[in-house]
Amino acid sequence: MMGGITPSARRLLHKDYTVYLVLGLGVLFVVVFLAYPLLRTVLIAFVPNGRELSFSNMSLVNFEKFLTSNLYRRSLINSFYISFAVVGLTMLIGVPMGYLVARVEIPGKHVLLSLSVVPLIMPAFLGAFAWIILLGRNGALRYVFERVGIDLPPIYGPFGVILAMTLMYYPFVFLLSEGAFETANPTLEESAAVMGARLPRILRTISLPLIIPSIAAGGILIFIRAISNFGVPAIVGGSTYVLPTLIYFQVNGFWNLHAAAAISLVSVLITGGALWLQRYIVSRREYETISASRSKLHIHRHPVAKALAIVFCWGVVLVSLFPQFTLIVMSFFKTWNGLWPRGFTLSHYLAIPKFLSGPIKNTLILATSSSLGAAMIGTLIAYVVQRRRPPGSAVLDYAVMLPFILPGIVVAVALLSSFSSGYLILRGTYWIMIISFVIRRTPYVFRSVSAGLTQLDPALEEASILSGATWFQTFRKVTLPLIFPTLASGTILTFATLLTELSTSILLYSAKTRTLSIAIYDSVNDGDYGLASALAVVLFFTVFAVTYAINRYTGKSMAASFRIG
């Protein structure tokens, strides 16, 4: 009609654009605070320090240091050496332990499984700090070993880093292999036994090959965690540099973001390659035997087998819990030189209130606000990707998950290189801390909500839309209540991990944004082990309580929550 509104224009006017607004906000956040910083980090990695970012200034001078600088070479070699050593030792501990717990009758099996996850709950740098008290120059365990004629290597160096990481990460392999051995179809093993094969040969030719893909995938995950770990080598590494501590040295010591960007790029390429290998291995898991017919697992009850299993499994768990017991004891004493601590005191706990208005308040504010931000962004992007699937949604999916392969210190370098100067300066503010935390933890909520949406029948939402409800009304009254359990689980998990965040905040914090993890780190470096222990105990039990609450809410056991693969 002349002068009137055409039907197509009327449809455009009445169309609900909310979902496109949500998609636009998600894309804007990813582009501004993830894609742009990472792209800039890649570019400045090819520009010498002190030069402007331009194509004419690009060269490989920052990467040549891996060939010309002994510090760079040693850092790269140390990273591989320590990571492979940790993977190997966790395999040697975790796989036999998994078999024994799954196939041997062990008293208190459920308690053992629950206690085994405690090292995973404790922040990595706290475990490393505890081993200083135990195996330092005047450590209690070193005193015992010296009395029996055993001379251990210094705790500061590769020995300390490998020890701390091994006893922290072995539960991943243990829980994964225990689950694999427990759920494996025993028919092939029984057939081999009937044919006369002995137990060692059955294990070598049947049992282990069936779970190798799962174990290998877990080993690669441990490699990624070990090679990107900052806290442990920062505490007990001493003069042994690895890639994350080398990045910290370049930024904190020289403010050389260009060199730090080059090191970061090398680190990301290594972790990206390892993650690709993990996905390749997982994709080849089809040769694991899955059958509809199952027979009952044969549980070993021979007294000798039970004794060996009890000594080995409980021994490993108790040794891995030494750091927790050590920090609790140390928090009540002034010093610990030799076998026993000295100078009982409550002063360390009495000093905690002075941290309430600073690090503790900052930790709670940053963790809470970042968790809510990650929950909002992760949920909205997950909905758009899973339900609407607009063009480019696959790219958005990969972009949101990208921080999974980015070490925390690399994210910090990317944000510093982008927002320390120019139009938007965020360095030293709460905002740069929150943005970094949201970037690193949004994948937790994104994957959790995505899993919930895949189990939700779209017909419920379609019925709401057909009844005249807008997209926002449908999301708020239908979708959100149904996915809330998975959303809450992912958000609480995010909150728990942010309470202990160190690798990102170590480069981004300022005097006004100092967190509890930074306060503990500083106390350790200052030699105030008693105060550091008291703060560590508060932090550990807070994280433990949050983790326990997650498991109570979801109905999972502590061990089940940390199984991977």
Side-chain angles (χ1 to χ4, degrees):
M1 297 176 59
M2 295 294 294
I5 300 177
T6 63
S8 59
R10 188 178 293 108
R11 284 195 297 271
L12 287 175
L13 288 173
H14 288 86
K15 189 173 183 179
D16 186 4
Y17 291 96
T18 310
V19 66
Y20 299 100
L21 176 62
V22 169
L23 176 62
L25 291 175
V27 170
L28 181 65
F29 179 84
V30 170
V31 169
V32 174
F33 296 116
L34 181 60
Y36 166 69
L38 290 179
L39 177 60
R40 182 175 174 82
T41 301
V42 171
L43 293 176
I44 69 171
F46 293 92
V47 178
N49 190 37
R51 300 282 187 88
E52 292 293 328
L53 177 57
S54 65
F55 287 103
S56 61
N57 287 329
M58 287 190 172
S59 69
L60 296 176
V61 64
N62 292 320
F63 296 95
E64 290 173 357
K65 292 181 180 179
F66 283 100
L67 301 175
T68 60
S69 170
N70 184 59
L71 177 61
Y72 275 61
R73 285 200 307 271
R74 293 305 307 171
S75 298
L76 184 60
I77 293 171
N78 288 337
S79 292
F80 279 108
Y81 165 67
I82 290 172
S83 299
F84 281 124
V86 170
V87 171
L89 290 173
T90 53
M91 293 293 177
L92 289 175
I93 295 172
V95 175
M97 193 172 169
Y99 179 83
L100 292 174
V101 171
R103 301 295 182 86
V104 179
E105 188 179 72
I106 300 177
K109 182 180 295 188
H110 294 295
V111 176
L112 187 146
L113 284 168
S114 296
L115 290 177
S116 68
V117 305
V118 173
L120 298 177
I121 298 173
M122 170 170 269
F125 71 98
L126 295 186
F129 157 51
W131 284 110
I132 294 176
I133 300 174
L134 292 170
L135 291 174
R137 185 176 301 175
N138 298 311
L141 287 183
R142 185 172 293 277
Y143 177 87
V144 173
F145 282 116
E146 287 177 349
R147 289 297 177 272
V148 297
I150 299 176
D151 187 20
L152 294 175
I155 190 65
Y156 292 102
F159 170 73
V161 177
I162 293 171
L163 174 69
M165 286 190 185
T166 298
L167 291 176
M168 178 177 60
Y169 291 144
Y170 87 88
F172 282 125
V173 178
F174 160 55
L175 294 172
L176 187 147
S177 58
E178 187 270 339
F181 280 123
E182 192 173 61
T183 57
N185 193 327
T187 304
L188 291 177
E189 298 176 4
E190 293 171 356
S191 300
V194 170
M195 297 296 292
R198 304 181 72 85
L199 181 59
R201 185 174 183 183
I202 294 175
L203 289 174
R204 179 171 54 86
T205 60
I206 297 177
S207 302
L208 286 177
L210 288 177
I211 68 165
I212 277 178
S214 297
I215 301 302
I220 292 171
L221 177 60
I222 291 174
F223 173 84
I224 293 173
R225 286 175 173 260
I227 205 167
S228 62
N229 189 298
F230 168 79
V232 174
I235 295 292
V236 295
S239 60
T240 302
Y241 278 88
V242 292
L243 292 179
T245 53
L246 183 61
I247 294 172
Y248 176 78
F249 177 67
Q250 291 295 332
V251 176
N252 197 53
F254 301 100
W255 191 243
N256 188 346
L257 291 175
H258 298 255
I263 304 167
S264 299
L265 189 56
V266 171
S267 180
V268 170
L269 289 175
I270 294 172
T271 54
L275 188 62
W276 174 85
L277 184 60
Q278 181 194 32
R279 289 175 182 256
Y280 174 76
I281 292 174
V282 171
S283 68
R284 294 176 59 85
R285 290 178 63 177
E286 290 79 12
Y287 69 80
E288 291 189 27
T289 308
I290 301 174
S291 174
S293 61
R294 293 184 57 83
S295 56
K296 189 175 181 180
L297 285 173
H298 173 67
I299 303 298
H300 302 284
R301 294 182 172 86
H302 193 280
V304 175
K306 289 176 64 175
L308 290 175
I310 291 171
V311 170
F312 179 73
C313 296
W314 276 105
V316 170
V317 169
L318 291 177
V319 170
S320 68
L321 293 178
F322 277 1
Q324 288 76 17
F325 292 126
T326 300
L327 293 179
I328 293 173
V329 174
M330 183 70 231
S331 67
F332 290 101
F333 290 89
K334 293 180 180 179
T335 61
W336 195 342
N337 296 318
L339 190 58
W340 305 109
R342 294 180 177 86
F344 179 83
T345 180
L346 295 176
S347 62
H348 303 136
Y349 286 100
L350 295 176
I352 289 178
K354 73 179 183 181
F355 290 88
L356 290 176
S357 60
I360 293 178
K361 183 186 74 173
N362 288 338
T363 299
L364 294 176
I365 290 175
L366 290 171
T368 302
S369 56
S370 301
S371 298
L372 294 176
M376 181 179 68
I377 294 173
T379 300
L380 295 178
I381 294 179
Y383 181 88
V384 171
V385 170
Q386 292 295 326
R387 283 291 190 261
R388 299 294 175 141
R389 293 186 175 88
S393 60
V395 176
L396 186 60
D397 188 334
Y398 283 113
V400 172
M401 294 304 298
L402 182 61
F404 260 142
I405 70 168
L406 297 178
I409 203 163
V410 172
V411 174
V413 170
L415 292 175
L416 284 175
S417 66
S418 302
F419 303 113
S420 293
S421 60
Y423 294 105
L424 184 60
I425 300 176
L426 299 176
R427 180 186 173 194
T429 66
Y430 282 100
W431 286 111
I432 197 168
M433 299 277 281
I434 293 173
I435 290 168
S436 68
F437 291 171
V438 171
I439 288 172
R440 293 205 66 207
R441 295 298 183 257
T442 294
Y444 284 62
V445 180
F446 176 76
R447 276 296 174 230
S448 181
V449 174
S450 294
L453 287 170
T454 57
Q455 299 172 0
L456 180 62
D457 190 352
L460 296 173
E461 299 160 89
E462 293 169 359
S464 175
I465 297 293
L466 291 174
S467 299
T470 64
W471 173 85
F472 181 74
Q473 291 172 328
T474 300
F475 180 81
R476 181 169 60 87
K477 294 184 177 181
V478 178
T479 310
L480 187 59
L482 292 173
I483 64 171
F484 184 77
T486 57
L487 170 60
S489 178
T491 304
I492 297 173
L493 176 62
T494 297
F495 178 80
T497 59
L498 288 178
L499 290 174
T500 64
E501 174 60 44
L502 178 67
S503 60
T504 305
S505 55
I506 192 66
L507 289 180
L508 300 178
Y509 83 97
S510 62
K512 67 178 181 180
T513 60
R514 190 164 170 254
T515 62
L516 187 55
S517 294
I518 298 296
I520 297 172
Y521 180 79
D522 290 341
S523 296
V524 173
N525 288 333
D526 292 339
D528 195 347
Y529 291 170
L531 177 60
S533 297
L535 294 172
V537 169
V538 171
L539 182 58
F540 169 71
F541 279 106
T542 302
V543 175
F544 182 85
V546 174
T547 307
Y548 180 77
I550 297 174
N551 288 280
R552 292 284 294 178
Y553 181 79
T554 59
K556 293 182 180 179
S557 67
M558 294 284 283
S561 298
F562 288 91
R563 281 195 172 96
I564 57 176

